[in-house]
Amino acid sequence: MARIAHLSDRAVLSISGADRVSFLQGLVSNDMAAVAPGHAVWTAFLSAQGKWLADFFVFADPEGVRLLLDCDATQAAMLRQGLSRYRLRADVEISETGYAVHAAWGEGFTAPDGYPAAPDPRLPQAGWRFLLGHPIADPSADDVDYDLLRLSLGLPDGVRDCESGKTLLLEANFDQLNGISWTKGCYMGQELTARTRYRGLVRRHLLPVTSHHDLPAPGTPILSGTATVGEMRSSRDKVGMAMIRNEHINDTGLTIGGHALHVHVPQWFALPARAE
């Protein structure tokens, strides 16, 4: 039976107007032309220097007049202001909505009629995401259950796993989780993103980790012997995400806070080949 959770830490912005697709197309990492009813897109908004500022899911409004952005609630105001800065003369309006974001995973889920819903575009195992006008009554799971699911799958959680103005998309595996289009053409930050791919310049990656002890706070260093080789990011109980230097991903002697730490390389992950 499917598990359904209201994700209370998410908010939804609306982009309406005749230029909504072309406007967003020039600002984010993925192809907005692929957004359609039943097909959401995961994408990132970058600085001009190609560093992560925010990421979100884009849904098509069933009425066909808006794009709906499922984003971290703590970033909604920043994202609205940041996107608005590039409106110029484009026919777009950016506003907040009252939609509640939900996730569903497991067998037997049926998407609600008349509301934006789509499979999670990152991984099939992540299930579905859908928007309702209010939180669902009597959910079968909560946002803690969903957090444990996404940690087990190795899925980054925006503000908890990426550093604003510092993290590269390829470090956070956006390229391997369908968060980047390599064919759509120019967008803000595209030059650095493409260069890091073609030159093999990514030296660290965000990966799931476990320990037999509760994991420490984000930013805690990860050690190989006495050398710092990574740092902790988000976690819950004994499962988390960590940024690890490539050459230490398969180390068996990593520690954090004096305890052993184990890196779990997901089946979908592959280290990129370094350019000659």
Side-chain angles (χ1 to χ4, degrees), residues 223 255-260:
L223 304 180
T255 62
I256 189 166
H259 301 295

Side-chain angles (χ1 to χ4, degrees), residues 58-70:
V58 184
F59 291 82
D61 185 349
E63 297 179 1
V65 296
R66 298 184 295 176
L67 295 175
L68 297 168
L69 279 53
D70 160 8

Side-chain angles (χ1 to χ4, degrees), residues 1-6 102-103 130 132 134-142:
M1 184 174 178
R3 306 192 72 188
I4 299 175
H6 167 226
H102 298 76
F130 62 99
L132 294 177
H134 52 78
I136 192 170
D138 299 321
S140 54
D142 59 23

Side-chain angles (χ1 to χ4, degrees), residues 92-223:
V92 295
E93 181 177 346
I94 306 171
S95 59
E96 298 185 18
T97 77
Y99 274 122
V101 179
H102 298 76
W105 63 99
E107 300 296 328
F109 174 71
T110 301
D113 291 333
Y115 288 93
D120 191 309
R122 298 170 298 178
L123 287 176
Q125 301 94 310
W128 284 66
R129 297 181 80 90
F130 62 99
L131 313 179
L132 294 177
H134 52 78
I136 192 170
D138 299 321
S140 54
D142 59 23
D143 45 10
V144 172
D145 297 316
Y146 176 76
D147 198 35
L148 289 170
L149 171 71
R150 71 100 190 162
L151 287 169
S152 71
L153 295 174
L155 300 177
D157 181 12
V159 293
R160 297 171 64 201
D161 291 317
C162 300
E163 295 180 283
S164 181
K166 294 182 179 180
T167 301
L168 300 173
L169 291 193
L170 275 67
E171 291 176 336
N173 304 317
F174 277 69
D175 54 327
Q176 301 189 58
L177 292 168
N178 303 310
I180 302 173
S181 170
W182 301 110
T183 60
K184 62 171 279 185
C186 294
Y187 57 89
M188 191 166 64
Q190 181 265 345
E191 183 178 355
L192 178 66
T193 304
R195 188 163 66 245
T196 55
R197 179 197 188 197
Y198 294 120
R199 295 185 180 178
L201 298 175
V202 183
R203 296 183 174 87
R204 59 181 192 163
H205 282 86
L206 187 67
L207 290 170
V209 294
T210 61
S211 176
H212 293 303
H213 298 78
D214 286 349
L215 290 164
T220 302
I222 295 166
L223 304 180

